[in-house]
Amino acid sequence: MVSSTADYALRAVLLLASRDDAQAITSNEIADATGTPRNYMAKVLNAVAKSGLISSTRGPAGGFSLAIRPSEITLGRIFDLFDSPPHHPRCLLGSGPCDLARPCRAHKAWMSVTGAQRAPLLSTTVADLLDGRVAPSPRKSSTESRHVA
């Protein structure tokens, strides 16, 4: 699940990436265009700027603009600024820790499930969204495809 903050950040980056000119736009303009509260958007943009994905310029002609190409910005990179990737410190089958050094029976399968959920975020870029490209979906196993009606 994506937090509101990560969603606002994605909307802002998409807006900046969709502009034909490289002129900076203000946080208020971005907030208004994305339907985000202005004071909240300013905080989100500052956090994204600190990461290096966008740049900020002060002054009368200041505002925010992309710092890198849209094809280099994955959704995972944006979301990870605000939402940590899922981590389960406790074992699914018990109350103790579970990690690669001490995996339980479910560990490998669970890591595969969480990795599959995250894969589209790591392979889909801002440019992909703007161009309407869909990240390739994981292949279904033969067992899984037999159960689909």
Side-chain angles (χ1 to χ4, degrees):
M1 183 169 215
V2 177
S3 69
S4 294
T5 307
D7 180 70
Y8 294 155
L10 175 60
R11 291 171 187 273
V13 170
L14 285 169
L15 177 69
L16 293 172
S18 67
R19 295 177 51 88
D20 291 331
D21 59 5
Q23 271 189 294
I25 61 173
T26 68
S27 64
N28 285 344
E29 291 172 311
I30 295 170
D32 293 346
T34 60
T36 307
R38 287 180 169 194
N39 62 341
Y40 200 69
M41 181 53 80
K43 292 176 185 178
V44 169
L45 290 168
N46 285 323
V48 178
K50 284 182 184 177
S51 77
L53 296 178
I54 64 175
S55 58
S56 73
T57 308
R58 293 185 182 266
F64 294 88
S65 58
L66 281 186
I68 60 177
R69 293 190 313 255
S71 61
E72 296 175 7
I73 305 172
T74 65
L75 303 186
R77 192 166 171 188
I78 296 168
F79 293 164
D80 288 351
L81 296 173
F82 304 99
D83 302 336
S84 299
H87 173 70
H88 299 280
R90 286 185 27 201
C91 176
L92 292 173
L93 301 177
S95 62
C98 185
D99 57 34
L100 287 174
R102 297 178 307 279
C104 70
R105 291 188 318 262
H107 187 84
K108 183 176 178 183
W110 184 244
M111 292 298 100
S112 176
V113 167
T114 58
Q117 288 176 324
R118 193 157 156 69
L121 299 177
L122 299 175
S123 63
T124 304
T125 67
V126 168
D128 292 334
L129 289 181
L130 292 174
D131 293 340
R133 289 189 299 261
V134 178
S137 44
R139 294 180 59 198
K140 291 183 178 182
S141 68
S142 58
T143 307
E144 191 178 5
S145 60
R146 284 189 298 235
H147 295 296
V148 176

